[in-house]
Amino acid sequence: MSLFIYLVLIFIASILFLKRKQIVFLFKKIKNEDDKILQEDILKNIYQLQKQNTICKTETISTRLNEDKVKVQNSINKLQKLNFVNTVDEEIHLTESGKTYALKIIRFHRLYEKFLADKTNLNEKTWHKVADEIEHKLNQEDAEKIAAQIGNPVYDPHGDPIPSSSGELPEKIGISLSEMKHNEISVVLHIEDEPHNIYENIVNKGIYKGIQIRFLGIFNNEVSFYANEKLCSLSLDEANNIQVGIPKLEKIHLGEFKKLSSLSVGEKGKIIGIAKSLRGQQRRRIMDLGIVPGTIIEAELESISGDPVAYRVRGTTIALRKNQAEKIYIEKI
Amino acid sequence: MDSKSNREKIISEANRLRWELGENLYDTLMETIYNNASEIANKAVTYSDKKSPFSFDRTLDKILTSKYFGIPIMLMMLAFVFWLTIVGANYPSSILASFLIDFLHPELKNIFLSFNIPNWLVGLLIDGGYLSCAWVVSVMLPPMAIFFPLFTLLEDFGYLPRVAFNLDAIYKKAGAHGKQALTMAMGFGCNAAGIISTRIIDSPRERLIAIITNNFSLCNGRWPTQILIATVFIGSLVPAYLAGFISALAVIFIAVLGIIMSFIVSWALTKTLLKGEISAFSLELPPYRPPRILQTLYTSLIDRTIFVLWRAIVFSFPAGLVIWLISNITIDGISLANHFINFFNPVALIFGLNGVIFLAYIIAIPANELVLPTILMLTVSHLGLNDFGAGSGVLFELESIEDTAKIFQAGGWTLLTGINLMLFSLLHNPCSTTIFTIYKETKSWKWTLVSTFLPIILGLLVTFIVTKIYYLVH
Amino acid sequence: MSFQEQKLSNNIQPDCANCPIHNIGNLKKLGINMDDFDFVVALAGNPNTGKSTVFNYLTGLRQHTGNWPGKTVTRAEGGFEYHNKKFKIVDLPGTYSLLSTSVDEEVARDFILFGQPDVTVIVADATRLERNLNLTLQILEITDRVILCLNLIDEAQRNGITINERILAKELGIPVIPTVARSGRGIDDLLKMIYDIAIGNFKTKPIKLKSNSEELNKAIDEIVGLISVEFPNLPNKRWVALRLLEGDQSIINSILNGELGNIKI
Ligand SMILES: Nc1nc2c(ncn2[C@@H]2O[C@H](COP(=O)(O)OP(=O)(O)O)[C@@H](O)[C@H]2O)c(=O)[nH]1
Ligand SMILES: [Mg+2]
């Protein structure tokens, strides 16, 4: 008996002890990490500014980061000592090692966003924020483990290429959505996730990476187009934050986009595509089961409440929930 | 050296191509493979034009998932399985008990004593270890040996995925997977088996939910406690001719409460602890296949028998030793058990329970079956009632309900104690086998701890509230 | 022995439903005793196709079977002896595909690629062949020594589905053995074929995937070219190239540390 109590006590004590240790640990970390986060953010920002060929000074960075100028200057001085940046006439430039470091942080950020998209249920609007924090906490080893776990992705969920672990990064491709021509058909390649409010507006309109666009035109500063053949319009600012193009392995579909969920029992359709918003394991499992473009599919059985519905695919019966069937496009036959 | 740079070049070239190809590689690949597959299948497969394939399956599916018959058929099947388990287990259970406990136990004791083995050692091994094993086996084995084969037959036939299909809508609302209905049904037999069966859920989040909430299925080892307590405390509230019916209703109420709890907890988990976990859904409805009755019976019987026997020995033997020891080792002339009971009585009263119950639940961590006999034994020895039982630290069960009621009365039990014991029996930590299984299946201490402590906290909370209300009313 | 001849001798006649099945003369079930073995056999296939039933039949063990996709999750091993050769047989977890990042699929994929079984038996459900061919075609990209065990033939017959296994074998380039694992029908033919392939009496010529995507083919060819320089003897370069395009870490590692060079035909 006493053994039981004893064990329970030890157990509780060890939990408390562990917690305590962790708390102390956290305190220490935050103290000396404060500066690390700022330094890394500065490197990242200089990299981005240089990419846009913008001249980069202390003020530019401090306004971009919304941080005190003195503090920023302090950190830049430290970075200079570490030989990550050099300053010529107040203009700050990344050194080779500074660029490598910046690319590393960008890699962590985009990797983590991809991880969140594929392996968690977090809302797409929070990916960026979470990744912004995690990018400073990851070490090389953990990052590579995450990468391996999600199949070493080369694009993040917004369509930005992820720098390779050796620091290679391709040029961005595609044109801005607002530059498209009347009746041109293209595919959304990239949605800029900053500033956040614009990104949110785009997401709220149901636009996602991989959706097919048929362009109509710009009327009164409103950009009009069909997204998967559904009429849609965005402001110019929003449209400028979307890049479109046709990836090499893309199949363009001309004609109507009907949802699988619109089939009633006994009706048949032919699958034309699966929305890219069906991601990760979920997407792969559905395709593994034979739900791929070109497949004939028949609604066979409705469950008692009407959701899920069982479909006949390639000689098998697969039940899908409504929220999945809504992301599978078909044409009726 | 050269070779190394060659290898690196392969990797970086592949990377470059991946950027170039974009993200449709998997889609393109799957499309390619399935195109090839259907081309080949079209050449090799011919369908008879007399009947369309699986027309029997389709007809059966239409009935089993129909709006009007789907649920009633399911409930009837379930009721049948439970009825057969409970009724059918009675007889073998009492045979096992009379053989292992009434006959073999004194025999063993005599044999040991005749070898001049010291009295205390015989007490420890036979009255402690052996007896608790015998208990677990005779209470648990027969119902399991009936329940699991029946379940396996339904599984073999292909009916279970249809149940998941029918119930998925409800489970989806709680953030869970329709297949959880089946892992929970399995849990009515044994929570450890229920947790192993969550392997059929291939989405990580839904699987964790199913694991954590499986304990809310009132397992086989807890039914006897429920039935006895309901008979003694609830049944006695109504006229004799209604007693059986009302106490059965009370037990069913507890089981249903468990199901409701599992929904609430599932839902709460998806909103809190499991918020970010990924979820995926796919459910294949396999064709119906005629089950192989004899082989199924044989396999699941043998499988479960070994499982139960192993568990009885590994887990209930030490528990038996502990029971015997704490009732027989004394400090200042008072047994350890009584020290504990006296100490915890005031705390337990807050929850409308008592020190005996607390102690019994700690001792019975290895097996829920042990709870009831331990409570009886501890009450008797705590009160020093000499005309009951078989000596201190020896498990027993009484022949008649009246005797049991007398013991409870002497122990100061009230209706509240009875109700709260039933609630606590539903809402407390899983048994150690189940905890161990949870760890094996999740490989995570965090989830093991959550599954262990969450129900205890809920149990204490519920009994606390019930106690408050009870005193308000009385 | 040529492929066609072999096929003919293995053909199950419909009337064999009544022929004695329990006299598989040279089979000795070894249960889990397989300390030293001559050959390794892998059992792969979709969930719920009868893999465990075949496994149990051959080894005399009692792996849990059930009409429920996803029953076998961990890998089971057992052994049998046939014509004085000892075989270790591994029941892999049932998977629909080998291309994903799920644990089950990784186990199955890595075992077939790096474990290099002497024979891989794919247990397929005859009533849903098309879906089962998905996995089959993927495995054929990895290894040549494959047998397709066309199980559940009784179910297929009951539902009016006929499969011409000769056409199927010709299309796939591997032997196809129709079986009813539940009753043991066809298992002796399967055993004979496992034996023949293991000792090298029989050579297969599996087909490879044809993609009609120019871009994909070009990319694969390019990587295969690079791989050929470094690992000229590698039998499944196309598969490795595909896995690289999918970012498979275990393949990347095995290229970087040169382990891939150890894989032989
Ligand atoms: N009718 C029939 N049923 C079979 C046959 N082979 C297996 N089964 C049944 O199919 C179900 C799935 O078999 P199992 O071996 O567990 O498949 P696994 O998931 O691939 O390991 C079980 O109910 C078996 O009894 C067969 O040849 N004919
Ligand atoms: Mg299996």
Side-chain angles (χ1 to χ4, degrees):
Chain A
M1 178 59 242
S2 52
L3 191 72
F4 271 116
I5 296 189
Y6 184 68
L7 284 180
V8 171
L9 283 181
I10 290 201
F11 177 71
I12 293 171
S14 62
I15 290 182
L16 287 179
F17 184 70
L18 272 179
K19 277 266 162 63
R20 185 74 56 76
K21 228 168 112 189
Q22 245 172 22
I23 291 165
V24 175
F25 195 56
L26 274 183
F27 257 115
K28 272 194 197 148
K29 253 190 171 167
I30 288 169
K31 269 238 171 249
N32 66 23
E33 263 194 1
D34 233 9
D35 200 17
K36 183 182 172 233
I37 292 176
L38 185 57
Q39 286 178 28
E40 290 179 347
D41 281 341
I42 291 172
L43 285 177
K44 207 169 76 174
N45 272 276
I46 302 175
Y47 178 84
Q48 281 159 357
L49 287 167
Q50 274 183 4
K51 268 240 139 153
Q52 301 165 9
N53 295 322
T54 316
I55 292 166
C56 179
K57 294 186 176 163
T58 310
E59 300 92 78
T60 353
I61 297 175
S62 82
T63 38
R64 261 179 86 109
L65 286 173
N66 203 7
E67 272 281 2
D68 179 45
K69 211 181 135 186
V70 184
K71 232 167 132 187
V72 171
Q73 187 58 54
N74 251 335
S75 299
I76 290 178
N77 291 344
K78 280 189 202 162
L79 286 172
Q80 204 154 6
K81 275 206 200 92
L82 290 167
N83 196 24
F84 282 147
V85 298
N86 51 41
T87 319
V88 187
D89 295 338
E90 295 205 342
E91 257 184 48
I92 311 165
H93 296 274
L94 283 180
T95 63
E96 241 351 270
S97 55
K99 189 179 154 201
T100 312
Y101 199 109
L103 276 170
K104 191 182 88 177
I105 298 298
I106 293 172
R107 172 171 168 82
F108 289 179
H109 180 97
R110 293 183 180 166
L111 260 183
Y112 207 75
E113 281 190 333
K114 180 70 176 166
F115 172 82
L116 292 174
D118 272 14
K119 293 273 174 181
T120 75
N121 232 353
L122 288 187
N123 188 290
E124 55 193 302
K125 292 169 193 165
T126 60
W127 295 337
H128 182 71
K129 224 174 83 205
V130 176
D132 250 351
E133 277 168 35
I134 299 290
E135 65 185 17
H136 305 292
K137 292 182 184 150
L138 282 179
N139 60 33
Q140 192 75 40
E141 204 180 312
D142 291 342
E144 293 320 315
K145 257 189 217 146
I146 291 176
Q149 196 192 344
I150 50 178
N152 295 298
V154 289
Y155 284 100
D156 80 358
H158 306 112
D160 281 313
I162 301 175
S164 72
S165 52
S166 50
E168 299 152 296
L169 184 64
E171 290 303 316
K172 270 187 199 162
I173 39 170
I175 57 167
S176 149
L177 174 62
S178 51
E179 290 163 19
M180 284 177 72
K181 294 187 196 66
H182 179 68
N183 252 344
E184 185 184 347
I185 292 183
S186 200
V187 173
V188 171
L189 292 178
H190 171 237
I191 304 174
E192 184 55 50
D193 54 2
E194 262 180 335
H196 191 69
N197 58 333
I198 290 189
Y199 174 68
E200 237 175 26
N201 288 343
I202 297 172
V203 170
N204 287 341
K205 292 256 167 75
I207 308 289
Y208 51 84
K209 193 190 68 174
I211 203 168
Q212 185 176 313
I213 304 284
R214 189 152 62 87
F215 195 73
L216 287 173
I218 305 178
F219 313 101
N220 309 329
N221 284 335
E222 284 279 304
V223 183
S224 290
F225 54 90
Y226 286 101
N228 277 0
E229 296 306 309
K230 203 180 125 222
L231 189 61
C232 211
S233 76
L234 290 173
S235 74
L236 257 180
D237 275 349
E238 288 160 359
N240 280 332
N241 272 6
I242 297 175
Q243 275 73 43
V244 297
I246 299 181
K248 283 201 166 163
L249 297 179
E250 188 74 32
K251 277 214 181 112
I252 297 296
H253 172 77
L254 303 169
E256 58 171 4
F257 280 71
K258 271 210 155 12
K259 289 174 180 169
L260 177 58
S261 51
S262 69
L263 282 186
S264 29
V265 170
E267 284 183 328
K268 277 187 189 173
K270 184 171 162 193
I271 298 173
I272 55 174
I274 302 171
K276 284 284 191 304
S277 51
L278 201 59
R279 301 184 191 86
Q281 189 194 347
Q282 178 92 269
R283 179 185 189 84
R284 293 193 164 212
R285 173 48 48 87
I286 282 179
M287 299 181 88
D288 291 344
L289 290 170
I291 301 179
V292 298
T295 310
I296 306 292
I297 189 165
E298 177 187 349
E300 180 175 301
L301 205 60
E302 224 172 40
S303 68
I304 291 170
S305 69
D307 176 21
V309 172
Y311 297 93
R312 192 98 190 129
V313 196
R314 301 184 185 271
T316 66
T317 308
I318 312 284
L320 295 177
R321 283 182 177 169
K322 198 166 174 196
N323 55 3
Q324 296 172 307
E326 275 170 351
K327 290 180 181 158
I328 297 168
Y329 293 105
I330 54 158
E331 54 188 11
K332 276 202 183 149
I333 52 170
Chain B
M1 198 59 239
D2 190 23
S3 162
K4 181 164 177 266
S5 67
N6 256 346
R7 292 174 193 166
E8 272 160 10
K9 190 166 160 229
I10 299 176
I11 308 290
S12 70
E13 191 57 22
N15 228 21
R16 190 187 62 75
L17 283 167
R18 291 178 72 198
W19 272 320
E20 224 180 273
L21 289 176
E23 290 184 282
N24 286 328
L25 184 65
Y26 195 80
D27 300 31
T28 312
L29 210 55
M30 288 313 294
E31 214 182 316
T32 300
I33 297 174
Y34 268 113
N35 279 345
N36 282 271
S38 61
E39 217 171 273
I40 296 172
N42 283 342
K43 285 186 197 155
V45 184
T46 44
Y47 297 93
S48 125
D49 31 53
K50 279 199 274 322
K51 59 173 185 180
S52 81
F54 296 109
S55 50
F56 168 74
D57 289 58
R58 287 180 184 215
T59 318
L60 197 55
D61 268 339
K62 286 262 184 302
I63 298 167
L64 290 181
T65 65
S66 86
K67 284 206 167 47
Y68 304 107
F69 303 117
I71 296 282
I73 291 177
M74 190 191 78
L75 289 179
M76 263 161 53
M77 292 240 203
L78 201 69
F80 175 73
V81 169
F82 279 122
W83 175 79
L84 208 63
T85 305
I86 291 168
V87 173
N90 260 336
Y91 185 62
S93 242
S94 63
I95 291 183
L96 270 176
S98 64
F99 174 71
L100 291 175
I101 298 168
D102 299 343
F103 170 72
L104 205 57
H105 175 233
E107 287 293 311
L108 274 176
K109 216 166 153 174
N110 285 338
I111 294 172
F112 268 63
L113 287 174
S114 68
F115 281 110
N116 279 336
I117 297 170
N119 232 328
W120 66 269
L121 190 60
V122 177
L124 182 67
L125 291 178
I126 304 298
D127 290 342
Y130 167 76
L131 204 55
S132 77
C133 284
W135 261 109
V136 172
V137 172
S138 56
V139 173
M140 204 156 101
L141 193 52
M144 295 254 274
I146 297 174
F147 181 78
F148 285 114
L150 284 178
F151 211 78
T152 318
L153 281 180
L154 285 180
E155 176 183 329
D156 234 24
F157 176 56
Y159 178 59
L160 298 189
R162 272 76 187 177
V163 175
F165 181 64
N166 275 339
L167 295 182
D168 184 66
I170 310 171
Y171 281 90
K172 188 183 158 200
K173 288 209 178 77
H177 197 295
K179 288 179 187 170
Q180 189 172 324
L182 308 167
T183 64
M184 282 185 65
M186 199 76 166
F188 280 116
C190 166
N191 292 135
I195 280 160
I196 293 174
S197 74
T198 61
R199 289 177 180 178
I200 56 174
I201 301 176
D202 61 359
S203 163
R205 183 183 77 167
E206 280 77 355
R207 174 147 188 244
L208 261 178
I209 293 177
I211 288 177
I212 295 172
T213 57
N214 196 272
N215 189 39
F216 295 115
S217 287
L218 197 64
C219 75
N220 186 355
R222 291 183 265 174
W223 286 93
T225 314
Q226 297 287 348
I227 292 169
L228 184 84
I229 301 293
T231 314
V232 171
F233 290 96
I234 314 277
S236 62
L237 294 176
V238 292
Y241 66 93
L242 277 178
F245 178 68
I246 293 294
S247 31
L249 218 56
V251 176
I252 290 171
F253 172 78
I254 294 285
V256 172
L257 183 70
I259 296 173
I260 295 172
M261 279 311 247
S262 84
F263 278 118
I264 296 175
V265 172
S266 300
W267 177 82
L269 281 172
T270 54
K271 293 280 175 266
T272 54
L273 285 177
L274 291 172
K275 202 167 166 201
E277 296 285 329
I278 185 83
S279 89
F281 179 84
S282 71
L283 175 64
E284 187 176 356
L285 302 181
Y288 293 101
R289 285 172 195 159
R292 278 176 307 176
I293 295 174
L294 285 180
Q295 167 147 18
T296 307
L297 289 181
Y298 175 78
T299 331
S300 60
L301 206 69
I302 297 294
D303 270 358
R304 301 301 160 183
T305 313
I306 290 168
F307 181 76
V308 174
L309 286 179
W310 174 81
R311 174 179 142 141
I313 291 159
V314 174
F315 288 107
S316 43
F317 192 84
L321 299 186
V322 170
I323 295 177
W324 192 87
L325 283 174
I326 58 164
S327 332
N328 285 286
I329 296 177
T330 55
I331 302 174
D332 303 332
I334 302 175
S335 71
L336 282 180
N338 284 348
H339 275 298
F340 180 98
I341 293 168
N342 293 335
F343 183 78
F344 273 100
N345 254 334
V347 186
L349 277 179
I350 303 175
F351 302 102
L353 300 167
N354 59 38
V356 169
I357 298 176
F358 267 30
L359 182 54
Y361 268 100
I362 294 176
I363 293 174
I365 287 175
N368 279 304
E369 293 76 2
L370 290 172
V371 168
L372 196 60
T374 310
I375 287 179
L376 289 173
M377 189 270 304
L378 286 174
T379 310
V380 168
S381 74
H382 181 62
L383 299 172
L385 300 174
N386 290 326
D387 39 350
F388 291 107
S392 63
V394 184
L395 296 174
F396 66 92
E397 195 163 352
L398 292 161
E399 299 295 321
S400 75
I401 298 287
E402 289 80 49
D403 282 350
T404 321
K406 263 187 225 151
I407 292 186
F408 285 140
Q409 243 163 35
W413 288 49
T414 61
L415 175 61
L416 175 70
T417 329
I419 293 174
N420 276 354
L421 176 59
M422 286 176 78
L423 288 170
F424 195 69
S425 156
L426 174 71
L427 303 169
H428 72 280
N429 59 288
C431 70
S432 53
T433 320
T434 307
I435 297 176
F436 181 62
T437 313
I438 293 174
Y439 179 71
K440 269 207 315 209
E441 294 294 316
T442 60
K443 297 255 173 7
S444 141
W445 283 112
K446 181 179 163 198
W447 297 122
T448 312
L449 290 177
V450 168
S451 330
T452 308
F453 287 102
L454 188 75
I456 301 188
I457 295 169
L458 280 175
L460 291 178
L461 204 72
V462 169
T463 48
F464 177 77
I465 295 170
V466 170
T467 309
K468 280 274 175 255
I469 295 174
Y470 183 84
Y471 284 132
L472 271 182
V473 178
H474 277 68
Chain C
M1 200 187 285
S2 87
F3 187 77
Q4 280 309 325
E5 280 166 352
Q6 183 75 27
K7 257 325 301 157
L8 284 173
S9 67
N10 276 334
N11 235 345
I12 292 189
Q13 304 304 318
D15 58 356
C16 193
N18 310 319
C19 65
I21 42 161
H22 287 290
N23 62 353
I24 304 178
N26 294 297
L27 172 67
K28 202 160 114 199
K29 302 177 182 191
L30 295 177
I32 51 168
N33 305 318
M34 24 114 211
D35 299 331
D36 46 297
F37 45 84
D38 304 298
F39 301 107
V40 177
V41 181
L43 270 185
N46 281 187
N48 207 26
T49 54
K51 285 183 303 304
S52 299
T53 312
V54 171
F55 177 87
N56 291 348
Y57 201 94
L58 292 177
T59 59
L61 292 170
R62 292 180 295 100
Q63 266 279 310
H64 200 106
T65 62
N67 189 4
W68 222 161
K71 198 76 202 194
T72 310
V73 175
T74 42
R75 199 175 91 182
E77 298 184 356
F80 65 88
E81 197 176 313
Y82 184 74
H83 278 304
N84 298 324
K85 292 275 185 234
K86 283 187 175 160
F87 292 79
K88 173 168 125 174
I89 181 163
V90 179
D91 187 10
L92 295 172
T95 57
Y96 295 111
S97 165
L98 291 180
L99 295 168
S100 286
T101 45
S102 88
V103 184
D104 283 1
E105 298 190 18
E106 237 161 79
V107 170
R109 184 168 69 216
D110 286 352
F111 188 81
I112 296 174
L113 182 59
F114 297 114
Q116 293 197 60
D118 298 286
V119 186
T120 301
V121 176
I122 304 173
V123 183
D125 180 345
T127 64
R128 26 188 74 188
L129 184 64
E130 199 172 320
R131 222 266 305 285
N132 284 259
L133 284 179
N134 169 29
L135 182 75
T136 308
L137 291 171
Q138 292 181 28
I139 291 177
L140 290 185
E141 289 285 319
I142 309 180
T143 167
D144 286 356
R145 314 171 70 138
V146 181
I147 302 171
L148 186 70
C149 164
L150 199 55
N151 195 30
L152 292 148
I153 285 292
D154 56 335
E155 290 281 318
Q157 276 167 355
R158 209 159 55 82
N159 287 290
I161 301 172
T162 324
I163 299 182
N164 186 329
E165 65 262 11
R166 286 170 63 186
I167 293 182
L168 189 59
K170 204 167 128 241
E171 288 289 323
L172 293 171
I174 54 168
V176 174
I177 315 282
T179 61
V180 180
R182 224 183 223 202
S183 62
R185 205 174 103 193
I187 297 284
D188 44 354
D189 295 306
L190 180 65
L191 270 169
K192 204 147 107 224
M193 188 52 79
I194 291 176
Y195 178 83
D196 280 344
I197 291 200
I199 63 170
N201 267 357
F202 189 94
K203 290 266 179 297
T204 56
K205 264 216 201 70
I207 57 147
K208 301 293 172 188
L209 285 173
K210 299 185 295 279
S211 171
N212 41 22
S213 160
E214 274 306 308
E215 301 287 353
L216 182 59
N217 288 335
K218 236 170 63 195
I220 292 177
D221 288 345
E222 197 177 330
I223 300 181
V224 167
L226 287 172
I227 295 174
S228 308
V229 177
E230 184 62 21
F231 306 102
N233 293 326
L234 189 71
N236 36 24
K237 301 188 186 77
R238 274 167 51 91
W239 167 258
V240 170
L242 260 179
R243 290 313 297 161
L244 282 178
L245 288 176
E246 276 279 314
D248 182 335
Q249 190 64 34
S250 58
I251 296 283
I252 294 177
N253 290 343
S254 67
I255 284 187
L256 289 178
N257 63 25
E259 211 177 272
L260 204 63
N262 301 334
I263 293 182
K264 300 270 152 48
I265 302 172

